[in-house]
Amino acid sequence: MWFSWSPVAWCCLVSSPEAARLSAEDISPSSNGPKAEPVLLDDDPDDPDDLFAGLTSCESIELSKCYQEQDIYSYTVCVCVCVYITFLSILINFYVCVCMYMCIYIYIYIYIYIYAFIYLYVFFHIYLFVCFLFIYTLFYIIYLFIKIDHSFLCICAHMSILIVINFFVFLGDGMNAYMVYKVLTKTSLSIFSRDEVCVKRRFSDFLGLHSKLASKYMHMGYIVPPAPEKSIVGMTKVKVGKEDLSSVEFVEKRRSALERYLLRTVKHPALLKDPDVLQFLESSELPRAVSTQALSGAGILRMVNKAADAVNKMTIKMNESDAWFEEKQQQFDNLDVQLRKLHASVESLVCHRRELSVNTASFAKSAAMLGNSEDHTALSRALSQLAEVEEKIDQLHQDQACADFYLISELLGDYVRLITAVKGVFDQRMKTWAKCQDAQVMLQRKREAEAKLQHANKPDKLQQAKDEIREWEGKVQQGERDFEQISKNIRREVGRFEKDRVKDFRVVIIKYLESLVHTQQQLIKYWEAFLPEAKAIA
Amino acid sequence: FMDIKLFDLNNDASLVIDIPDALCERDKVKFTVHTKTTLSSFQKPEYSVQRQHEDFIWLHDTIVETEEYAGLIIPPAPPKPDFEGPREKMHKLGEGESSMTKEEYAKMKQELEAEYLAVFKKTVQVHEVFLQRLSSHPMFRKDRNFQIFLEYDQDLTVRRKNAKEMFGGFFKNMVKSADEVLISGVKEVDEFFEQEKNFLLDYSSKIKDATAKAEKMTRSHKNVADDYNHISGALNNIAADNNTAFKKHLEKCAEVFEKLRVSISKVEDRMASDQELKLTELLRYYTRDIQAAKDLLYRRARALADYENSNKALDKARLKGKDVAQAEENQKQCLQKFDKLSESGKKELTSFKARRVVAFRKNLIEMTELEIKHAKNSVSLLQGSIEVLKSN
C-alpha cells in the first residue's frame, strides 16, 4: 500500500511500451478463448533517469487521471496510530503514577501524599496531553504533506482513475487477423466493481462503444470524444506481417490514440457513469460490434445518414436568437481552419526533421570516410570525431522528431477531430430547433384544420382534431424543452471543453519546449566535447 | 554577419585587394575591385575598377593557359553567382501575396531579403578570395594579365567564348580526362609524387561526396527552421483569435509565442546557415582546390610522358642516324620542363597541405563555437518562455 503512494513509479512500471512481435508463429489459430502471448519487440530505450519518459504512453499524468491514495485511507492510518499511542500513553501514565505513589508513600505522611498524588497525577496528565497534542500535530502535518505530494504529482486530479492500454497481440491469421488490446483500468471510484480490471478488446469494440455513446448523448448536446479512425492501409501492412518501421509506428500510434480516447471519455463526468462505458471497461466478454464494419448494413445506413445530414445542414436556416451561439459557432469554425493549418505545418516539420536526421547520418558516414583518407593524422582524427558527433546528433534529431510527433502532431489530430464533434453538437442543436419549428408548423396546421372543421360542424372529426391538437401541443412543448436543455448542455460542455483545451495545450507546449531544451543541451554537450579535438589540429 | 573569410590573406601590405561593394542588376553582378599597392610595377598606388563575373573567369583561364605557371597550383575560379533560390522564393511570394495577411507578407519579405543578402555576401567573398590568393602568391602577383585586371579602368569587354571555342573547350576537357586515365598508369619515379597522386585521387572523390551530403543536410536544416516559422505563426493566430474568458491569459501566450518564433526558428535558421558557411563552404572550396592540385599533377604527368616520348624519339633518331641533334635538344628541353615542374610542384603541394590543415582547423573551431553559442542562446530563450508559461 505504501507503494501505491508513488503513482509515478507505478505508472512507469506498468506502462513502459512493450509491444507484441508480429510474427506468424505466435498467432494462435482459434479466435475464441484467445491465448494471448505477448512477445516483446525491441523496447524503446527509455532513459532510466527520466521518470517521465515512460509516460508518453499514458499521455502524461496531466492528461490522465492519477491514482491518488484515498484521503480516507491515510487519514484512517493516522487516526489508528494516534489512538494506539493514546492507549499506550494512558497505560504508561498509570504505571508511572503508581510508581510515584509508591515513592511518595515511602517519604511523606498519608494526608500529604494524597495531595501530592493528586497533584502529580494531574501534572502528568497535562504533560502527557501536551506531548500527544504535539504528536497528533506531527501526524497531521505528515498527512498533509502526503496529500500535497500527491497533488504536486497529480496536477489536475480530482477523480481517481487510470487507464493504460498495453500488451497487444495478433490473433487469427491472414486477412482475418485482428489486434487485441489489453485495457487495464485501475481505479478507486465506487461505481466500478473492482479496483483493478483488465479486459481484452478489439478495435471494432472501441468503435462500437463510440457509436453507442454518440447515439445516446449527441442529441442531448454532450460532446462525445471521437474514436480513432480506421485505417485500411495501415492495418493491411501490419497484417501482412511486415516488421518494418512504418508498421511498428502505426501500431504504436493506434495504441496511444486508443488510450487517449478512453481517457477523454472517462474524463467526461456524464459518460463515466454510463453503463456502456462501465461494461466496456469491466466485463470480460463483450458482444462483437458488427455494426462498425464499413460494409455492414449499419455501416451503409450510417453513410446514408451522413449524406442526409449534410443536405439538411445546407437547407436549415436557423434564425439564431442567442448571440452566444452564433459567436461560438464562428469561433469554432475559425479554430478548425487554424488547427488544420497548424497540424499540416507540424506534420511537415516531422517529415523534414526525419529527413534531416537521415541526411546527417549520411554526412557522418561520408565525413568518416574523408577522415580515413586524410593523411594528416591530427586532422584525420578530428574529422573522424566530427563524424561521430554528427552521428550522435542524427540520433538526437530522430528522437526529437518522435517527440514532435507524439506530443504535438497526434494531439492536434485529436483536437481537429474533437472540433468536428463539437460542430456536430451544434448541428444537433440546429436539428432540434428544426424539429421544434416543424412541430409548431404542424400545430398551426392542426389548429387551422380544427377551425375549419368547427365551421363545417362535424362533431366526431372535431374531437379527433382536438386530440391531435393536444398531442401536437405536447410535442411542441417537448420540443421547446429539448431545445432549452440542449442549449444549456452545450453551454456547459463548451465551457468545459475550452477549459480543457487551454489546459491541454499549455501542458503539451510546455512539455514540448522542455524536450527542445533537452535537445539543445545535448547538442551543447556534444559540440563542447568536439571543440578540444578541433583545437588539437596542429 | 560573421567574418566569413576562409583565409587571412591580406597580411602582406604591398598588394592589398578587397571587394568593398557590389551591385546586382537583374542577372549580372558588378563587383567593385579596390586595390592598394606599394609596388612600383603599378602606375597608381590605389585603384577602383568595376568587374563582372566573366572577367574573373577570363583571368583564370588566361592564367591556366600560361605555360610558365604549369608547375603551380592555380587558384580555382569562383563559381557563378547563384540567385536561383531567392528568385524562386520571390516569385512564390509574389504569387501568394493575395492569400496572406499583411504581417505574414512583411515577415516573408524580410526573410527573403535576408536570404538574398546571404547569397550575395557569399559570392562576394568567393570572388575576393580568388583575387587575394593570386595577390599573395609571389609568381601570380607579377602576372601581366592580373595587373591589367586590377588597373584597366575601362570595361574589360572580355570576348565571350563563341561556339567554336566553347566546343573546343569541351573537347579539351574530354581529352584531358581520357589522358588522366592513361597517365595514371604511367610509372612514377618519385616516391613523393606517387603518394600525392594516390592521396589526391582518393581524397577528391571523398570530399566531393562529403560536400554533396553536407549540402543536403544544410538544406533539410533550413527546411526545419522554415517549418518552425510557420508553426509559430499559426500558434500566434490561434492565440490571438480567442476572445473568451481566457483572453488575458491567451494574450500573454501570444507574446510568448512571438518570442518563441524568434528563439526557435531564427536560431535554427542561424545554426543552419552558420553550419553551411563554415562546413559546407569549406568543403566546396576544397573540392575545387583539390581539383586544381590534381590539374597540377596532370600537367606534370603530361610533361613526364612528353619526356619519355622524346627519349624514345631520340633513341629512334640515334638508330636511324638522322636528326639526332634536334632530338637531343628536344629531350633536354623536356627534361628541363619536367624537372622544373617537379620542383615547383613539390613546393606547391606541401604548402597546399599546410594551408588545408590550417583552414580546416580554423573553420571547424569556428563552426563548433558558433553552434555552441546558438544552442546556449536557444536554451536560455526557451527556458525563459517555459517560465512565463508555467507562471500563468
Side-chain angles (χ1 to χ4, degrees), chain A residues 431-458:
Chain A
K431 270 207 309 213
T432 316
W433 180 84
K435 235 170 47 173
C436 187
Q437 289 298 99
D438 286 345
Q440 277 184 346
V441 163
M442 273 307 272
L443 180 64
Q444 192 64 21
R445 244 187 260 161
K446 294 292 177 193
R447 287 217 173 106
E448 284 172 4
E450 190 230 10
K452 250 194 281 186
L453 282 177
Q454 265 195 342
H455 284 303
N457 206 2
K458 289 203 181 115

mmCIF file of all heavy atoms in Angstrom, chain A residues 431-458:
data_model
loop_
_atom_site.group_PDB
_atom_site.id
_atom_site.type_symbol
_atom_site.label_atom_id
_atom_site.label_comp_id
_atom_site.label_asym_id
_atom_site.label_seq_id
_atom_site.Cartn_x
_atom_site.Cartn_y
_atom_site.Cartn_z
ATOM 1 N N LYS A 431 -30.733 20.849 -35.475
ATOM 2 C CA LYS A 431 -31.752 19.857 -35.852
ATOM 3 C C LYS A 431 -32.909 19.884 -34.850
ATOM 4 O O LYS A 431 -34.077 19.811 -35.243
ATOM 5 C CB LYS A 431 -31.142 18.438 -35.875
ATOM 6 C CG LYS A 431 -30.585 18.057 -37.200
ATOM 7 C CD LYS A 431 -30.537 16.586 -37.536
ATOM 8 C CE LYS A 431 -29.924 15.674 -36.571
ATOM 9 N NZ LYS A 431 -29.248 14.557 -37.243
ATOM 10 N N THR A 432 -32.576 19.997 -33.577
ATOM 11 C CA THR A 432 -33.624 20.058 -32.552
ATOM 12 C C THR A 432 -34.522 21.261 -32.784
ATOM 13 O O THR A 432 -35.752 21.175 -32.682
ATOM 14 C CB THR A 432 -32.994 20.155 -31.152
ATOM 15 O OG1 THR A 432 -31.928 19.234 -31.069
ATOM 16 C CG2 THR A 432 -34.018 19.889 -30.085
ATOM 17 N N TRP A 433 -33.895 22.377 -33.093
ATOM 18 C CA TRP A 433 -34.656 23.587 -33.362
ATOM 19 C C TRP A 433 -35.571 23.377 -34.546
ATOM 20 O O TRP A 433 -36.743 23.778 -34.531
ATOM 21 C CB TRP A 433 -33.690 24.745 -33.623
ATOM 22 C CG TRP A 433 -34.366 26.038 -33.903
ATOM 23 C CD1 TRP A 433 -34.839 26.933 -33.005
ATOM 24 C CD2 TRP A 433 -34.680 26.574 -35.188
ATOM 25 N NE1 TRP A 433 -35.403 28.007 -33.627
ATOM 26 C CE2 TRP A 433 -35.317 27.810 -34.979
ATOM 27 C CE3 TRP A 433 -34.480 26.139 -36.505
ATOM 28 C CZ2 TRP A 433 -35.751 28.610 -36.023
ATOM 29 C CZ3 TRP A 433 -34.915 26.938 -37.545
ATOM 30 C CH2 TRP A 433 -35.547 28.158 -37.297
ATOM 31 N N ALA A 434 -35.010 22.728 -35.602
ATOM 32 C CA ALA A 434 -35.823 22.469 -36.791
ATOM 33 C C ALA A 434 -37.023 21.598 -36.448
ATOM 34 O O ALA A 434 -38.140 21.845 -36.902
ATOM 35 C CB ALA A 434 -34.967 21.805 -37.866
ATOM 36 N N LYS A 435 -36.750 20.571 -35.599
ATOM 37 C CA LYS A 435 -37.856 19.697 -35.199
ATOM 38 C C LYS A 435 -38.921 20.502 -34.454
ATOM 39 O O LYS A 435 -40.123 20.344 -34.687
ATOM 40 C CB LYS A 435 -37.314 18.589 -34.282
ATOM 41 C CG LYS A 435 -37.662 17.212 -34.777
ATOM 42 C CD LYS A 435 -37.007 16.064 -34.091
ATOM 43 C CE LYS A 435 -37.012 16.089 -32.604
ATOM 44 N NZ LYS A 435 -36.495 14.838 -32.057
ATOM 45 N N CYS A 436 -38.434 21.369 -33.574
ATOM 46 C CA CYS A 436 -39.357 22.210 -32.803
ATOM 47 C C CYS A 436 -40.193 23.070 -33.745
ATOM 48 O O CYS A 436 -41.420 23.177 -33.595
ATOM 49 C CB CYS A 436 -38.548 23.076 -31.837
ATOM 50 S SG CYS A 436 -39.539 24.012 -30.699
ATOM 51 N N GLN A 437 -39.509 23.674 -34.708
ATOM 52 C CA GLN A 437 -40.223 24.503 -35.673
ATOM 53 C C GLN A 437 -41.255 23.688 -36.434
ATOM 54 O O GLN A 437 -42.389 24.136 -36.641
ATOM 55 C CB GLN A 437 -39.236 25.102 -36.689
ATOM 56 C CG GLN A 437 -38.346 26.181 -36.115
ATOM 57 C CD GLN A 437 -39.158 27.372 -35.623
ATOM 58 O OE1 GLN A 437 -39.422 27.489 -34.434
ATOM 59 N NE2 GLN A 437 -39.579 28.203 -36.538
ATOM 60 N N ASP A 438 -40.818 22.495 -36.872
ATOM 61 C CA ASP A 438 -41.744 21.632 -37.618
ATOM 62 C C ASP A 438 -42.971 21.325 -36.769
ATOM 63 O O ASP A 438 -44.113 21.375 -37.256
ATOM 64 C CB ASP A 438 -41.051 20.322 -38.004
ATOM 65 C CG ASP A 438 -40.060 20.537 -39.125
ATOM 66 O OD1 ASP A 438 -40.125 21.601 -39.764
ATOM 67 O OD2 ASP A 438 -39.219 19.642 -39.345
ATOM 68 N N ALA A 439 -42.726 21.008 -35.501
ATOM 69 C CA ALA A 439 -43.844 20.695 -34.602
ATOM 70 C C ALA A 439 -44.798 21.883 -34.518
ATOM 71 O O ALA A 439 -46.026 21.726 -34.549
ATOM 72 C CB ALA A 439 -43.320 20.320 -33.229
ATOM 73 N N GLN A 440 -44.214 23.083 -34.421
ATOM 74 C CA GLN A 440 -45.070 24.287 -34.338
ATOM 75 C C GLN A 440 -45.884 24.465 -35.602
ATOM 76 O O GLN A 440 -47.082 24.820 -35.547
ATOM 77 C CB GLN A 440 -44.201 25.525 -34.095
ATOM 78 C CG GLN A 440 -43.883 25.692 -32.637
ATOM 79 C CD GLN A 440 -43.107 26.969 -32.375
ATOM 80 O OE1 GLN A 440 -42.596 27.579 -33.296
ATOM 81 N NE2 GLN A 440 -43.025 27.316 -31.124
ATOM 82 N N VAL A 441 -45.211 24.218 -36.750
ATOM 83 C CA VAL A 441 -45.936 24.345 -38.019
ATOM 84 C C VAL A 441 -47.100 23.368 -38.066
ATOM 85 O O VAL A 441 -48.229 23.716 -38.462
ATOM 86 C CB VAL A 441 -44.954 24.133 -39.199
ATOM 87 C CG1 VAL A 441 -45.704 23.845 -40.481
ATOM 88 C CG2 VAL A 441 -44.068 25.342 -39.359
ATOM 89 N N MET A 442 -46.807 22.122 -37.635
ATOM 90 C CA MET A 442 -47.868 21.100 -37.624
ATOM 91 C C MET A 442 -49.018 21.544 -36.728
ATOM 92 O O MET A 442 -50.191 21.410 -37.081
ATOM 93 C CB MET A 442 -47.310 19.764 -37.096
ATOM 94 C CG MET A 442 -46.681 18.897 -38.139
ATOM 95 S SD MET A 442 -47.762 18.617 -39.535
ATOM 96 C CE MET A 442 -48.652 17.200 -39.013
ATOM 97 N N LEU A 443 -48.632 22.066 -35.538
ATOM 98 C CA LEU A 443 -49.661 22.502 -34.587
ATOM 99 C C LEU A 443 -50.542 23.565 -35.226
ATOM 100 O O LEU A 443 -51.786 23.527 -35.143
ATOM 101 C CB LEU A 443 -48.999 23.045 -33.316
ATOM 102 C CG LEU A 443 -49.984 23.536 -32.250
ATOM 103 C CD1 LEU A 443 -50.803 22.357 -31.768
ATOM 104 C CD2 LEU A 443 -49.248 24.186 -31.104
ATOM 105 N N GLN A 444 -49.875 24.497 -35.905
ATOM 106 C CA GLN A 444 -50.614 25.567 -36.586
ATOM 107 C C GLN A 444 -51.604 24.990 -37.583
ATOM 108 O O GLN A 444 -52.772 25.367 -37.636
ATOM 109 C CB GLN A 444 -49.605 26.481 -37.293
ATOM 110 C CG GLN A 444 -50.176 27.777 -37.799
ATOM 111 C CD GLN A 444 -50.660 28.646 -36.658
ATOM 112 O OE1 GLN A 444 -50.250 28.492 -35.516
ATOM 113 N NE2 GLN A 444 -51.593 29.514 -36.959
ATOM 114 N N ARG A 445 -51.067 24.014 -38.369
ATOM 115 C CA ARG A 445 -51.917 23.388 -39.382
ATOM 116 C C ARG A 445 -53.118 22.702 -38.741
ATOM 117 O O ARG A 445 -54.251 22.813 -39.213
ATOM 118 C CB ARG A 445 -51.099 22.379 -40.181
ATOM 119 C CG ARG A 445 -50.985 22.780 -41.644
ATOM 120 C CD ARG A 445 -50.334 21.720 -42.446
ATOM 121 N NE ARG A 445 -48.948 22.046 -42.667
ATOM 122 C CZ ARG A 445 -48.042 21.158 -43.025
ATOM 123 N NH1 ARG A 445 -48.352 19.907 -43.153
ATOM 124 N NH2 ARG A 445 -46.808 21.539 -43.218
ATOM 125 N N LYS A 446 -52.828 21.977 -37.636
ATOM 126 C CA LYS A 446 -53.927 21.262 -36.967
ATOM 127 C C LYS A 446 -54.962 22.240 -36.444
ATOM 128 O O LYS A 446 -56.165 21.985 -36.494
ATOM 129 C CB LYS A 446 -53.374 20.415 -35.798
ATOM 130 C CG LYS A 446 -52.473 19.287 -36.199
ATOM 131 C CD LYS A 446 -53.233 18.197 -36.949
ATOM 132 C CE LYS A 446 -52.280 17.120 -37.405
ATOM 133 N NZ LYS A 446 -52.896 16.242 -38.370
ATOM 134 N N ARG A 447 -54.465 23.356 -35.921
ATOM 135 C CA ARG A 447 -55.406 24.368 -35.401
ATOM 136 C C ARG A 447 -56.280 24.913 -36.520
ATOM 137 O O ARG A 447 -57.499 25.077 -36.373
ATOM 138 C CB ARG A 447 -54.634 25.514 -34.736
ATOM 139 C CG ARG A 447 -54.036 25.160 -33.404
ATOM 140 C CD ARG A 447 -54.099 26.333 -32.419
ATOM 141 N NE ARG A 447 -53.664 25.924 -31.116
ATOM 142 C CZ ARG A 447 -52.497 26.241 -30.545
ATOM 143 N NH1 ARG A 447 -51.652 27.012 -31.203
ATOM 144 N NH2 ARG A 447 -52.188 25.793 -29.339
ATOM 145 N N GLU A 448 -55.627 25.163 -37.659
ATOM 146 C CA GLU A 448 -56.402 25.659 -38.815
ATOM 147 C C GLU A 448 -57.422 24.623 -39.228
ATOM 148 O O GLU A 448 -58.592 24.942 -39.507
ATOM 149 C CB GLU A 448 -55.465 25.954 -39.990
ATOM 150 C CG GLU A 448 -54.670 27.249 -39.813
ATOM 151 C CD GLU A 448 -53.615 27.407 -40.884
ATOM 152 O OE1 GLU A 448 -53.561 26.553 -41.806
ATOM 153 O OE2 GLU A 448 -52.837 28.372 -40.811
ATOM 154 N N ALA A 449 -56.956 23.343 -39.247
ATOM 155 C CA ALA A 449 -57.895 22.274 -39.631
ATOM 156 C C ALA A 449 -59.076 22.236 -38.663
ATOM 157 O O ALA A 449 -60.234 22.086 -39.078
ATOM 158 C CB ALA A 449 -57.150 20.936 -39.654
ATOM 159 N N GLU A 450 -58.746 22.392 -37.374
ATOM 160 C CA GLU A 450 -59.820 22.360 -36.366
ATOM 161 C C GLU A 450 -60.800 23.504 -36.578
ATOM 162 O O GLU A 450 -62.017 23.329 -36.508
ATOM 163 C CB GLU A 450 -59.195 22.419 -34.967
ATOM 164 C CG GLU A 450 -60.178 22.143 -33.856
ATOM 165 C CD GLU A 450 -60.124 23.196 -32.755
ATOM 166 O OE1 GLU A 450 -59.443 24.226 -32.980
ATOM 167 O OE2 GLU A 450 -60.735 23.007 -31.708
ATOM 168 N N ALA A 451 -60.235 24.678 -36.839
ATOM 169 C CA ALA A 451 -61.110 25.843 -37.074
ATOM 170 C C ALA A 451 -62.037 25.581 -38.259
ATOM 171 O O ALA A 451 -63.246 25.862 -38.215
ATOM 172 C CB ALA A 451 -60.238 27.078 -37.316
ATOM 173 N N LYS A 452 -61.441 24.984 -39.314
ATOM 174 C CA LYS A 452 -62.246 24.674 -40.499
ATOM 175 C C LYS A 452 -63.353 23.692 -40.142
ATOM 176 O O LYS A 452 -64.507 23.842 -40.532
ATOM 177 C CB LYS A 452 -61.347 24.082 -41.597
ATOM 178 C CG LYS A 452 -61.155 25.035 -42.788
ATOM 179 C CD LYS A 452 -60.573 24.334 -43.966
ATOM 180 C CE LYS A 452 -59.095 24.181 -43.747
ATOM 181 N NZ LYS A 452 -58.393 23.623 -44.915
ATOM 182 N N LEU A 453 -62.981 22.666 -39.356
ATOM 183 C CA LEU A 453 -63.970 21.646 -39.004
ATOM 184 C C LEU A 453 -65.094 22.258 -38.170
ATOM 185 O O LEU A 453 -66.254 21.864 -38.297
ATOM 186 C CB LEU A 453 -63.301 20.516 -38.208
ATOM 187 C CG LEU A 453 -62.498 19.519 -39.047
ATOM 188 C CD1 LEU A 453 -61.836 18.493 -38.154
ATOM 189 C CD2 LEU A 453 -63.408 18.815 -40.037
ATOM 190 N N GLN A 454 -64.705 23.216 -37.329
ATOM 191 C CA GLN A 454 -65.739 23.853 -36.484
ATOM 192 C C GLN A 454 -66.806 24.511 -37.334
ATOM 193 O O GLN A 454 -68.012 24.409 -37.051
ATOM 194 C CB GLN A 454 -65.100 24.876 -35.548
ATOM 195 C CG GLN A 454 -64.800 24.276 -34.208
ATOM 196 C CD GLN A 454 -64.518 25.326 -33.141
ATOM 197 O OE1 GLN A 454 -64.223 26.466 -33.440
ATOM 198 N NE2 GLN A 454 -64.633 24.918 -31.917
ATOM 199 N N HIS A 455 -66.348 25.186 -38.385
ATOM 200 C CA HIS A 455 -67.327 25.778 -39.307
ATOM 201 C C HIS A 455 -68.153 24.715 -39.992
ATOM 202 O O HIS A 455 -69.372 24.828 -40.133
ATOM 203 C CB HIS A 455 -66.606 26.624 -40.367
ATOM 204 C CG HIS A 455 -66.151 27.939 -39.829
ATOM 205 N ND1 HIS A 455 -67.002 28.825 -39.255
ATOM 206 C CD2 HIS A 455 -64.916 28.492 -39.758
ATOM 207 C CE1 HIS A 455 -66.321 29.898 -38.859
ATOM 208 N NE2 HIS A 455 -65.038 29.716 -39.157
ATOM 209 N N ALA A 456 -67.493 23.613 -40.437
ATOM 210 C CA ALA A 456 -68.219 22.574 -41.191
ATOM 211 C C ALA A 456 -69.111 21.734 -40.274
ATOM 212 O O ALA A 456 -69.963 21.001 -40.743
ATOM 213 C CB ALA A 456 -67.193 21.677 -41.902
ATOM 214 N N ASN A 457 -68.875 21.857 -38.947
ATOM 215 C CA ASN A 457 -69.734 21.205 -37.964
ATOM 216 C C ASN A 457 -69.785 19.689 -38.118
ATOM 217 O O ASN A 457 -70.817 19.098 -38.413
ATOM 218 C CB ASN A 457 -71.155 21.798 -38.051
ATOM 219 C CG ASN A 457 -71.873 21.654 -36.723
ATOM 220 O OD1 ASN A 457 -71.299 21.159 -35.745
ATOM 221 N ND2 ASN A 457 -73.100 22.071 -36.667
ATOM 222 N N LYS A 458 -68.591 19.052 -37.936
ATOM 223 C CA LYS A 458 -68.558 17.583 -37.916
ATOM 224 C C LYS A 458 -68.064 17.160 -36.543
ATOM 225 O O LYS A 458 -66.862 17.156 -36.293
ATOM 226 C CB LYS A 458 -67.607 17.054 -38.990
ATOM 227 C CG LYS A 458 -68.127 17.242 -40.404
ATOM 228 C CD LYS A 458 -67.481 16.241 -41.343
ATOM 229 C CE LYS A 458 -68.015 16.481 -42.745
ATOM 230 N NZ LYS A 458 -67.042 16.921 -43.697
#
